[in-house]
Amino acid sequence: MFTNHSTTRVELLLVKFTNGNSVTAPSTTNDIYSASRQTSQSFAGESNGQTTYLSFLIWQYGSGGQFGGFGGIYVGNSTNEFAPKLFLGRGGNSNNWQIETLGGTGSIVSNEAIVVNQTALLVVKLETLAGHDRFTLFVNPTTHSEPTTGFVKNDLDLGIANRISMYHTGEFMMDEIRIGTTFTDVVTA
């Protein structure tokens, strides 16, 4: 499902599927675009103590776009459009990879700068807890073992997650979205 979130007009979302089934999207000056996919089963939020890992490759190949040219993916609930959503990628207020509540609140900015035309591997550990959940972002991990430190966000109760969406105004390509129950599940080929 491809969705244009413009409130002023409806326009065809131009998405190019390239070799390897990656998604490439042009920058926008008037709209925010998303391409969403509901998963066959929920992957986070089912029960307290549940830990899930999600990873993807992201490449910013240009600059520009509305709201600072942000881009990345968000995870949320497909049946409740108003449920909180977790965003991973480049927010509009930083040139570093970050994790935030969709819309820009509660941003946790990494110390890893975004380099245009260079691929980054983003991994997030989603830990479902009573009350606010804990999300740990790892940028370009160098081993198949989970790093001991990352960038932690713990001010969001995500609820049940069963939807992944590419969300952007800037020029980005995303590939190899993986979900697993261990860090190794999402970083090995």
Side-chain angles (χ1 to χ4, degrees):
M1 174 174 116
F2 299 106
T3 307
N4 176 344
H5 289 277
S6 171
T7 57
T8 58
R9 62 192 163 96
V10 175
E11 182 177 302
L12 177 65
L13 172 63
L14 301 174
V15 176
K16 176 182 169 189
F17 291 91
T18 61
N19 231 355
N21 297 319
S22 62
V23 176
T24 304
S27 68
T28 66
T29 55
N30 298 317
D31 299 305
I32 299 172
Y33 288 113
S34 72
S36 298
R37 181 60 156 248
Q38 183 172 337
T39 57
S40 60
Q41 61 186 30
S42 61
F43 55 88
E46 284 292 324
S47 61
N48 289 337
Q50 179 182 6
T51 301
T52 305
Y53 294 82
L54 179 137
S55 73
F56 65 103
L57 297 174
I58 185 167
W59 177 49
Q60 183 174 359
Y61 64 88
S63 59
Q66 189 176 18
F67 308 116
F70 69 85
I73 66 169
Y74 73 79
V75 297
N77 186 299
S78 66
T79 59
N80 182 354
E81 196 61 37
F82 300 104
K85 296 165 184 68
L86 180 71
F87 177 83
L88 314 157
R90 181 191 186 279
N93 63 352
S94 175
N95 288 320
N96 290 19
W97 299 112
Q98 64 189 55
I99 185 171
E100 66 185 30
T101 303
L102 184 65
T105 61
S107 295
I108 303 297
V109 180
S110 77
N111 60 5
E112 295 285 334
I114 297 164
V115 179
V116 175
N117 293 320
Q118 182 175 318
T119 303
L121 171 63
L122 302 185
V123 180
V124 66
K125 179 180 184 179
L126 302 97
E127 296 174 274
T128 303
L129 305 171
H132 291 142
D133 301 323
R134 181 173 38 237
F135 310 97
T136 306
L137 174 65
F138 306 103
V139 181
N140 294 321
T142 58
T143 69
H144 293 160
S145 299
E146 184 174 332
T148 56
T149 60
F151 303 93
V152 177
K153 177 176 176 59
N154 58 5
D155 64 350
L156 172 68
D157 184 359
L158 184 61
I160 294 175
N162 63 355
R163 181 183 199 167
I164 299 173
S165 299
M166 181 181 87
Y167 194 68
H168 74 96
T169 63
E171 297 172 300
F172 290 89
M173 184 165 78
M174 291 159 229
D175 200 2
E176 296 189 32
I177 298 171
R178 298 177 183 187
I179 299 170
T181 56
T182 69
F183 184 84
T184 304
D185 288 344
V186 299
V187 297
T188 55

